[in-house]
């Protein structure tokens, strides 16, 4: 059985400024461009470019056109990790980001359910997994699902 102590190197890496900073930056970038279900074109493009920049092959245009799957490793077993990519038709409160670092640029739309965080964390996991792709002993599918909020 895998003990917590054997995960410590991974947890240490995940907490590192390189990985945690990457996740925060991606979350802020995604928070700025909330898109409603099946309209997540800018989001899908950002995710696709992020995955490709890590050397991860992608399948695009899925699930209504904006779904994406990144593929790390090969063979069996296959494990899927999923993140939602759509936003809600909600006006972002003015005081949420008073410094203007990551405020929504799409009026009347907001990542109010944390999907921006889900996507950013999955990109962070993708980065760590891709660095270990040769040692995975299987395939990891990174599923970015559109329209979770109502599709």
């Amino acid at each position: 059985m895998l003990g917590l102590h054997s995960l410590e190197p991974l947890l240490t890496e995940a907490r590192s400024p390189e990985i945690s900073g990457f996740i925060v930056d991606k979350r802020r970038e995604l928070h700025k461009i909330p898109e409603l279900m099946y309209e997540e074109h800018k989001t899908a493009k950002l995710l696709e470019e992020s995955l490709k920049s890590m050397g991860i092959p992608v399948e695009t245009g899925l699930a209504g056109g904006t779904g994406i799957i990144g593929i790390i490793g090969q063979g069996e077993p296959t494990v899927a990790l999923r993140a939602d990519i759509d936003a809600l038709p909600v006006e972002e409160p003015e005081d949420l980001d008073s410094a203007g670092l990551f405020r929504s640029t799409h009026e009347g739309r907001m990542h109010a359910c944390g999907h921006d965080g889900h996507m950013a964390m999955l990109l962070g996991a993708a980065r760590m997994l891709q660095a270990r792709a040769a040692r995975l002993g299987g395939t990891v599918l990174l599923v970015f699902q559109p329209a979770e909020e109502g599709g």
Side-chain angles (χ1 to χ4, degrees):
M1 186 165 146
L2 193 61
L4 187 56
H5 67 281
S6 63
L7 294 175
E8 194 56 42
L10 285 174
L11 296 173
T12 299
E13 181 182 351
R15 290 184 202 110
S16 73
E18 181 182 349
I19 298 296
S20 64
F22 171 82
I23 293 169
V24 168
D25 290 346
K26 287 297 178 187
R27 185 252 169 216
R28 288 178 173 171
E29 193 174 354
L30 288 159
H31 189 84
K32 290 179 181 180
I33 56 167
E35 298 170 294
L36 302 180
M37 61 180 171
Y38 299 118
E39 297 175 1
E40 309 99 332
H41 301 288
K42 289 179 183 177
T43 301
K45 189 70 174 165
L46 188 153
L47 294 168
E48 177 185 357
E49 289 171 357
S50 296
L51 293 168
K52 285 182 174 179
S53 76
M54 295 179 222
I56 298 172
V58 298
E59 293 182 22
T60 61
L62 307 171
T66 54
I68 297 174
I69 295 179
I71 304 161
I72 300 175
Q74 58 186 356
E76 298 295 329
T78 299
V79 175
L81 304 175
R82 182 187 70 88
D84 317 309
I85 69 171
D86 57 333
L88 291 168
V90 174
E91 188 66 41
E92 186 166 40
E94 297 263 341
D95 62 346
L96 185 65
D97 176 26
S98 59
L101 297 174
F102 54 88
R103 184 165 176 71
S104 171
T105 59
H106 297 171
E107 184 134 350
R109 295 182 221 149
M110 176 184 179
H111 280 296
C113 283
H115 293 179
D116 50 347
H118 299 168
M119 291 182 280
M121 288 184 282
L122 187 50
L123 288 173
R127 190 167 166 174
M128 292 178 67
L129 288 165
Q130 180 66 356
R132 295 160 173 79
R135 298 178 289 165
L136 285 179
T139 304
V140 178
L141 301 178
L142 309 164
V143 180
F144 292 90
Q145 176 193 339
E148 184 272 340
E149 290 296 349

